[in-house]
Amino acid sequence: MNKLLHALRGMDIPPTTVMEVCGTHTNAVARFGLRQLLPPGMRLISGPGCPVCVTDGTDLAAALFLAHMPGVAVYSFGDMLRVPAAGDSLLRARELGADVRIATSPMDALEAALSETDKEIVWLGVGFETTAPMTAALLLRAREAGVGNLSVLCAHKTMPAALRSLLRDNQRVDALLCPGHVAAITGAEDFRFVPEELRMPAVVAGFEPEEIALALLQIARMRQRGQVELANCYPAAVSAEGNPAAKALLTAVFEPVTARWRGLGEIAGSGLGLRREFAGFDARRRFDLPEFPPGEDAAGCRCADLLRGEAEPRQCPLFGRGCTPDRPAGPCMVSAEGACAAVYRYGGN
Ligand code: SF4
């Protein structure tokens, strides 16, 4: 590690802003103080990599609507409960009597559907290519078991279209630290469009400090040499083609749809919708949900700017004052993968 950092620190490179788009990287970078160890000229910023943070207010409003419906139980991963949504949250709804339950796996929702046949069970599906296969497996099992009281409020998203939308013609970001977990599913080749279309170096990185340092060193070398390439610095977990079983699950259940991202807006092809064969499991159809307005963020909240890489946590006037992990005013302070929560917990910027 020391050798890597020494080599990195000693690099003489043109000004380089690297964006990381993975919540686990966001956390690891802050936790290991990697920003303080970068060479002069290199800057590392967070992008739209935290699945909780990029979930839009419209999807949260739909989840809240369902949670308040009698006879409905909403299952979600725990972090989603604390995300503020226009003065409300799933946690607050639960405190007021709504049936909102924390799941450790989507299969918890299936178990509930099988044992509580008088209830409508809804799984709130959020996250990227990493968690979407679990939702796909849930629906395949539910269909096989003939379950009729389970549905999915699908807010899953995929990275490539969002990155194209965010980074095309941008003047801020010079290189991309690609998300190791997503790449493990989709394959490193899924990020080849970054050098080929967006004309910037892209390096797939693992999550240990030395793995991140190695990836940054690779980026620094490319910048020094003027190369624009894709490199895989996480070959232990990421192959060129990805995980065929997980990709088969995604293809069997989902199709690309337009999705709305917090901070990025609507992006065609950046979401995962249920295929027609699974339409009966679509909570939006089953409950005939309208399109909900996204609701207002807390006054001063800069989560949207953060997710576009246009601000850093300490530039938000609420950071550490009106917004802390105990009382989050925005989603980036909720999850351990959020940029504000990471900086609040470990320091740095
Ligand atoms: Fe949003 Fe809170 Fe971060 Fe401000 S400090 S950007 S309100 S999460």
Side-chain angles (χ1 to χ4, degrees):
M1 174 71 175
N2 282 343
K3 270 191 187 170
L4 276 174
L5 289 173
H6 188 70
L8 182 61
R9 288 281 303 167
M11 298 286 290
D12 182 17
I13 59 170
T16 300
T17 297
V18 182
M19 174 177 272
E20 46 84 2
V21 284
C22 173
T24 313
H25 280 151
T26 301
N27 185 284
V29 164
R31 184 168 163 213
F32 299 114
L34 294 179
R35 278 197 184 83
Q36 289 81 308
L37 305 173
L38 297 175
M42 183 178 268
R43 189 169 155 250
L44 185 54
I45 60 171
S46 297
C50 159
V52 168
C53 309
V54 297
T55 300
D56 187 67
T58 52
D59 294 319
L60 287 166
L64 279 162
F65 181 85
L66 290 171
H68 286 295
M69 282 180 78
V72 173
V74 174
Y75 272 84
S76 166
F77 289 129
D79 279 347
M80 286 305 300
L81 269 66
R82 300 176 58 236
V83 176
D88 206 349
S89 69
L90 287 169
L91 186 62
R92 189 170 146 75
R94 185 165 82 163
E95 286 164 0
L96 295 175
D99 194 349
V100 179
R101 306 178 188 180
I102 296 174
T104 53
S105 148
M107 293 303 165
D108 294 351
L110 179 60
E111 275 182 32
L114 288 168
S115 60
E116 299 174 59
T117 50
D118 58 329
K119 278 235 161 198
E120 279 288 335
I121 306 295
V122 178
W123 169 246
L124 174 54
V126 300
F128 303 117
E129 292 93 331
T130 41
T131 51
M134 293 192 276
T135 297
L138 165 70
L139 288 183
L140 288 167
R141 287 258 207 103
R143 185 173 69 171
E144 193 181 304
V147 172
N149 61 329
L150 175 80
S151 57
V152 173
L153 182 61
C154 196
H156 285 296
K157 296 176 174 58
T158 53
M159 275 289 171
L163 292 177
R164 279 189 176 94
S165 168
L166 179 66
L167 299 178
R168 188 183 294 125
D169 303 326
N170 94 94
Q171 305 295 322
R172 300 184 308 278
V173 179
D174 304 295
L176 193 75
L177 196 65
C178 301
H181 289 143
V182 169
I185 302 293
T186 64
E189 283 300 311
D190 215 40
F191 291 93
R192 185 159 295 284
F193 72 92
V194 179
E196 291 190 350
E197 290 177 34
L198 305 178
R199 303 303 306 155
M200 61 176 74
V203 178
V204 179
F207 300 95
E208 295 301 323
E210 55 271 26
E211 292 173 327
I212 299 173
L214 178 64
L216 293 171
L217 182 62
Q218 187 79 356
I219 287 172
R221 284 181 177 144
M222 285 194 220
R223 290 286 289 167
Q224 198 177 46
R225 296 169 188 158
Q227 294 168 326
V228 179
E229 292 173 3
L230 170 69
N232 180 5
C233 286
Y234 195 26
V238 176
S239 65
E241 303 305 330
N243 180 326
K247 286 166 82 169
L249 282 172
L250 293 176
T251 307
V253 173
F254 298 113
E255 60 188 7
V257 293
T258 297
R260 188 185 269 270
W261 296 57
R262 184 186 297 274
L264 276 61
E266 275 193 4
I267 303 170
S270 71
L272 292 173
L274 300 185
R275 285 190 177 282
R276 194 160 2 130
E277 310 90 276
F278 292 90
F281 291 103
D282 185 341
R284 288 187 173 84
R285 283 179 182 231
R286 181 172 303 194
F287 298 98
D288 198 20
L289 297 183
E291 185 72 18
F292 291 93
E296 296 279 317
D297 287 339
C301 169
R302 297 201 63 187
C303 284
D305 297 333
L306 250 82
L307 294 167
R308 290 192 296 269
E310 293 175 1
E312 292 173 359
R314 290 182 192 281
Q315 292 174 326
C316 175
L318 303 181
F319 183 88
R321 290 182 278 273
C323 184
T324 64
D326 288 338
R327 293 176 65 92
C332 299
M333 193 59 96
V334 171
S335 163
E337 299 193 342
C340 296
V343 169
Y344 185 91
R345 180 160 186 197
Y346 299 114
N349 53 20

